[in-house]
Amino acid sequence: MTLRWSYALNQWNNGHDRFVLREAHANAFKTLAISGFDAVEIPCGSGRWEPLGRKDWIEKFYGSVAGLRADMAACGIKAASSFLFNPAEPIFEEGAYGLSVLNPADHGRIVNTLRQYAELLPALGGDTLVVRALPNWSEKASVDLATMQVAADGWNAVGAMLAPHGVKLALNFDCVTMARTGDDMALLLDLCDPETVGLSLDTADAAIMGLDPVALMGRFAGRLVHVQLKNALERDTLGEYRLPFPDKFMLAGGGARKVARWYGELESEAGIVDIAACHAALVAQGYAGWVVVESDQSPVPATSAMLNGWFVKNRLKHAELA
Amino acid sequence: MSKIKWQYADHWRTDSPKGPVNQFASRAEMDRFIKQIAAVGLRGVGMFAWNLGAVSAMFGGLPAYNAFLAERGIEKIVDLFWCQPQASPGMTLHKPEHAGRVMGMLDHFAGLAGGLGVENLIVMPAHGYVDTQPVDADRIKVLADLWNAVGRMSLEKHGMKLGCHHEFWCGIRSQDEIDQFYALTDPAYVHLYIDTAQHVIAGVDPVALYRQYAQRVNGFHFKDTRHVDTVEDYRSQPDPELCASTTPRWFWEMGTPGGLVDFPALMQALKENNYEGWIGVEHDKADVGGGNYPESTALAMWYAQNVLEPIFYGKAAA
């Protein structure tokens, strides 16, 4: 069985007003299509600068969800494989300025805001909702059984809501989250319903945390439903995930070492992820979910898409056929 | 097997921590460039003749560069391009006494690429218009004589067809000047290399031009423009492609909104004339105003494969 490939649009969405116009969307779709990809992952979003991020904005910008799908298809993109949701991001339309799955009072609001993706994903040919599983690391919260049970209750409710629509929930642990080890991830995953809630593994973020993504693939093979395949250029050797606003001060600002870019293309010479080994592991274990190629922090998104397209076509897909 | 193949014509520049760099900066930059163009379906490269030395030094010889290309999905160098935009005391194209120097220089460059299967030697057949004027019948005759001789040398000694590429600011730019030039040149040795945007800017219809000279055409640069030069911007100094009074950016990728080149009509004309061979994709100054070469190239190849190839091959075959 060959893998299902997709590509994350977030590398184009690298500024609050950088990826708004329909022409910009079409250019990204065409660039991906000619580079060999026919599905995209879309970041959820809110407000006038995120017209792909919510159902209501898609309807305003494209007339209807079907209108967006038709425009995607005209460019050669067959599906939106997945949407990516972070509860901590503002949701202006709902007056939410930072929901947390660790707050039981927010669970109902999270379920309700995610209902739209249960409809959106099948309408756009996709089937996976990826969520940031836990908030940033904090001195005030720890990965213990009681805390993870709260999070699991929230995500189980979301998973149960999505399942009748054929949509899987995938919990993603990025490099600045409070979960720092495979055991941390396992603690939460083991409390979630395996029928409706699985793992989304980001190979680069795992490597930045000092984890081995291939080992994680093996350990969680039975729960792995979504992969973000990308390279990393540096490890977080100073533990800067503890910084306040680590997405800004560590990932964007580079931290104390002034790291210019944490993420790279699949074949990056300085990459610390063995992409070929990750790919081989997925093939070997018969992985059936989406493989979403990402290049966060791309200085030239088209270059990233073209280089990643070349590598997937000429190296990884060749290996699949060998 | 495809009757047409797409090649990329050299212009490339991307941002780096050192500022803009092109593919000739290092093997790593060349690797990124070649993989990007191969990823979107290009199968050949065109090169400025004066870059052969750098590439040879980078790879320890041009055969090694050809092997590097093949490993990444690019067949070969298809064209060499040469021009001399300004006349100089040492080399003035329309001075018959300088013909030997021109011949010697192009013989040298073509010789460097010997054995690589390069198909065409492309030249701008005059200096810029201001440096060529007065552009009259006598001057065009001198230039025709020069290129007849160079074309014969290029084909018979190096196996490369000479193609003349008429920039909108070239000394031979109008329909009348082009017609005079091709009437005086030998069809066996001097070919027309059509740059779609350059002709449109100069007020020449590239589709009609192709239909008129189809049997003499040895290749194309496919790029688009949103402007026609109606105010003699071709006289702008020092570089009409940069200093024009009417637009900061002349050239755009195929499929650009507001593009003036009728590519579907041109593709239909190629089909009717049973064209076989390479089509060049070129992006000159794609980064003016915030664009970038990689995205322009991806969008152009999307257009080539999704709009133009179905016209050429028929929709069922596409």
Side-chain angles (χ1 to χ4, degrees), chain B:
Chain B
M1 185 174 170
S2 300
K3 291 175 66 178
I4 55 170
K5 292 188 281 191
W6 302 92
Q7 57 121 334
Y8 190 78
D10 223 12
H11 286 291
W12 190 266
R13 184 169 53 207
T14 54
D15 291 336
S16 84
K18 299 181 288 293
V21 295
N22 66 22
Q23 67 271 38
F24 302 104
S26 67
R27 283 182 68 128
E29 289 297 337
M30 184 63 78
D31 181 58
R32 288 166 59 85
F33 165 64
I34 293 299
K35 285 175 178 171
Q36 285 175 77
I37 65 171
V40 297
L42 290 147
R43 292 294 172 260
V45 289
M47 277 187 65
F48 291 112
W50 47 80
N51 285 328
L52 287 171
V55 170
S56 182
M58 183 183 290
F59 289 90
L62 291 171
Y65 179 58
N66 251 20
F68 175 92
L69 295 178
E71 289 166 4
R72 287 154 181 77
I74 297 294
E75 291 180 26
K76 64 177 180 178
I77 303 168
V78 178
D79 302 329
L80 295 183
F81 184 92
W82 179 90
C83 66
Q84 177 87 356
Q86 282 82 41
S88 70
M91 184 176 286
T92 298
L93 296 175
H94 49 265
K95 286 188 175 179
E97 61 269 32
H98 289 179
R101 297 177 191 175
V102 178
M103 180 87 80
M105 177 176 293
L106 290 169
D107 186 21
H108 166 72
F109 282 130
L112 288 177
L116 300 179
V118 175
E119 298 184 16
N120 303 309
L121 177 63
I122 311 304
V123 300
M124 185 168 87
H127 301 297
Y129 197 89
V130 170
D131 282 17
T132 304
Q133 63 188 4
V135 180
D136 55 23
D138 290 343
R139 189 140 291 179
I140 292 175
K141 176 67 166 61
V142 171
L143 290 166
D145 290 345
L146 168 68
W147 296 117
N148 277 330
V150 172
R152 180 171 187 156
M153 176 275 294
S154 175
L155 184 64
E156 295 183 351
K157 185 173 179 182
H158 301 289
M160 299 179 195
K161 289 183 178 178
L162 180 79
C164 292
H165 177 284
H166 301 264
E167 278 74 359
F168 78 90
W169 45 277
C170 171
I172 299 174
R173 59 182 300 281
S174 68
Q175 181 73 52
D176 178 59
E177 289 156 358
I178 289 171
D179 288 340
Q180 287 186 61
F181 180 74
Y182 286 95
L184 294 167
T185 48
D186 187 336
Y189 297 125
V190 179
H191 303 271
L192 170 62
Y193 197 96
I194 291 180
D195 184 308
T196 52
Q198 298 278 11
H199 288 301
V200 166
I201 295 168
V204 176
D205 176 359
V207 181
L209 189 67
Y210 172 70
R211 289 188 180 279
Q212 180 182 355
Y213 290 105
Q215 302 313 309
R216 294 188 71 170
V217 169
N218 69 330
F220 300 86
H221 282 162
F222 272 23
K223 63 178 184 271
D224 211 339
T225 183
R226 297 173 178 175
H227 297 271
V228 175
D229 177 11
T230 58
V231 297
E232 297 192 355
D233 268 335
Y234 63 88
R235 295 179 179 276
S236 306
Q237 292 293 303
D239 183 349
E241 292 187 359
L242 288 174
C243 306
S245 63
T246 53
T247 178
R249 180 173 173 179
W250 288 104
F251 306 120
W252 296 83
E253 68 277 354
M254 284 183 269
T256 190
L260 298 176
V261 177
D262 190 346
F263 286 109
L266 182 55
M267 218 59 197
Q268 181 63 32
L270 265 67
K271 177 181 181 180
E272 291 170 13
N273 283 277
N274 206 26
Y275 180 80
E276 286 194 39
W278 295 91
I279 297 175
V281 175
E282 187 182 46
H283 298 126
D284 198 349
K285 303 169 186 65
D287 50 358
V288 170
N292 66 75
Y293 285 87
E295 183 172 84
S296 286
T297 303
L299 296 178
M301 286 307 296
W302 186 93
Y303 185 82
Q305 291 189 6
N306 289 278
V307 178
L308 299 187
E309 286 191 358
I311 294 170
F312 188 83
Y313 291 116
K315 289 192 176 181

